[in-house]
Amino acid sequence: MRSARSVKPFVVKPFVVFGLVAVAATACGGGTTPGGGKVRDSGRGADQGRARQVAAAWEGSEAARVWREGYHPLGDPVQLPEGAFHDDADKRAYLTQNFELRGSLPDAPQKKARIRWPGGDSLALPLTSARAAYEQLDRGGNAGPALTVTGARLGDMTLLTSRGPAKVPAWHFTVEGYDTPLKRVAVAPSKLPAPPVKAVSRQTDELGPLAGPAAVADDNRTVTLRAGHGSCDDGPAVDVLETGGSVVFSASIRGVSDGPCTADLRIEKVTVKLDRPVGDRMLLDAFTGRPVPYEQPGSASPSRT
């Protein structure tokens, strides 16, 4: 265990460096939890005792019931047109969120829209206007290349959620040069319940908060997260505690050293392969004690701000 004196707290500067390296967490070690889950410990120093505490607090809690009755997406709220992108300019426009509107956007046809799951469950939530959905896409405002939107209609899209795949209301935006639409979810996620466990009071290199969203791949076992680290270490790691009702992720930092360091926060994608599918299990952050729903970097969801 490294001494707390070696910890260098993150200071966020006006810039953030986004890493592109995916770090795979591997399984070794073991143990059990109250829910019969298997402890997967990669041996990188994360606090598994805290992970067990978070899992036990959520198991059978009122917060867990509220969570399971809500809409919590685990996939990207945007689905690109077929064949995207035609060239590097279009790709750059999308990544920099640079859009141009040439045409009018329709008003919302109703106040609420319904999410539907295959088993027959459904949930009605306030419908986001086409204008609001477009503004979630168009955040660049720079002089670079732009994707041109010429109209929109209300439809749906299939999206993985905490309750499995669902048909979710979505605005279908017509993009100049593409035969199929760009789809953007038209409802905001449900409000997160108050967690049954408090966040850790102080960040260390052994345990810190996840820095961004969780996205679950089509195999329902591969989870991609974002974790932060500094300039004087070997990067982030994420350990996993799997139980019958939850998956708890513990973010830590590998190889912290003392030398002169710049005070910037670096974010890397960390990919974790679970022992079994996510299913309807909650994805939890050991540091905050909260669920880790999917949110795009820089997005502003009314239910979570």
Side-chain angles (χ1 to χ4, degrees):
M1 182 73 71
R2 292 185 290 272
S3 168
R5 290 192 296 271
S6 68
V7 176
K8 294 180 174 57
F10 294 146
V11 178
V12 181
K13 294 290 187 180
F15 60 93
V16 176
V17 180
F18 289 91
L20 299 177
V21 180
V23 182
T26 57
C28 64
T32 59
T33 67
K38 178 182 177 182
V39 178
R40 297 177 54 217
D41 184 356
S42 65
R44 291 169 177 155
D47 186 351
Q48 288 293 341
R50 168 63 180 179
R52 291 188 184 93
Q53 179 190 22
V54 171
W58 276 90
E59 186 175 357
S61 68
E62 176 65 11
R65 183 192 66 78
V66 172
W67 166 265
R68 289 195 165 91
E69 292 179 355
Y71 158 63
H72 304 285
L74 296 175
D76 197 328
V78 176
Q79 290 182 1
L80 297 175
E82 293 178 8
F85 296 97
H86 291 336
D87 51 39
D88 288 341
D90 281 2
K91 183 177 181 179
R92 180 183 171 194
Y94 178 73
L95 292 176
T96 58
Q97 298 181 296
N98 218 32
F99 285 75
E100 180 180 352
L101 180 60
R102 292 181 186 171
S104 59
L105 297 175
D107 295 330
Q110 67 258 6
K111 290 185 178 180
K112 289 190 174 184
R114 193 166 289 276
I115 300 165
R116 302 182 186 278
W117 285 271
D121 290 341
S122 67
L123 180 65
L125 291 174
L127 180 64
T128 302
S129 68
R131 169 65 66 175
Y134 173 79
E135 289 174 353
Q136 289 288 326
L137 297 169
D138 182 24
R139 291 167 170 248
N142 60 69
L147 290 169
T148 300
V149 170
T150 58
R153 66 175 180 84
L154 185 62
D156 59 35
M157 59 187 271
T158 300
L159 185 66
L160 184 64
T161 75
S162 58
R163 297 162 63 174
K167 287 286 186 183
V168 180
W171 287 104
H172 293 201
F173 292 98
T174 304
V175 180
E176 194 172 86
Y178 291 86
D179 296 331
T180 59
L182 180 151
K183 302 176 183 179
R184 214 285 176 189
V185 168
V187 290
S190 299
K191 184 177 180 180
L192 293 176
V197 60
K198 292 182 179 180
V200 174
S201 60
R202 187 174 67 90
Q203 177 178 335
T204 69
D205 56 336
E206 283 86 13
L207 183 64
L210 291 166
V216 182
D218 291 341
D219 65 3
N220 208 231
R221 289 181 59 196
T222 304
V223 183
T224 300
L225 309 108
R226 286 177 171 82
H229 68 105
S231 60
C232 288
D233 55 59
D234 296 331
V238 176
D239 290 341
V240 182
L241 171 71
E242 295 191 49
T243 77
S246 65
V247 180
V248 186
F249 300 105
S250 301
S252 60
I253 305 171
R254 298 175 294 129
V256 176
S257 61
D258 290 329
C261 305
T262 58
D264 60 311
L265 172 64
R266 304 182 180 191
I267 307 297
E268 289 190 11
K269 291 182 179 179
V270 181
T271 299
V272 178
K273 187 81 169 184
L274 303 181
D275 285 339
R276 56 193 179 88
V278 173
D280 63 354
R281 293 185 293 171
M282 293 172 291
L283 305 182
L284 302 171
D285 182 346
F287 184 88
T288 65
R290 293 177 176 271
V292 189
Y294 186 96
E295 289 180 9
Q296 285 185 309
S299 68
S301 172
S303 68
R304 298 202 170 103
T305 55

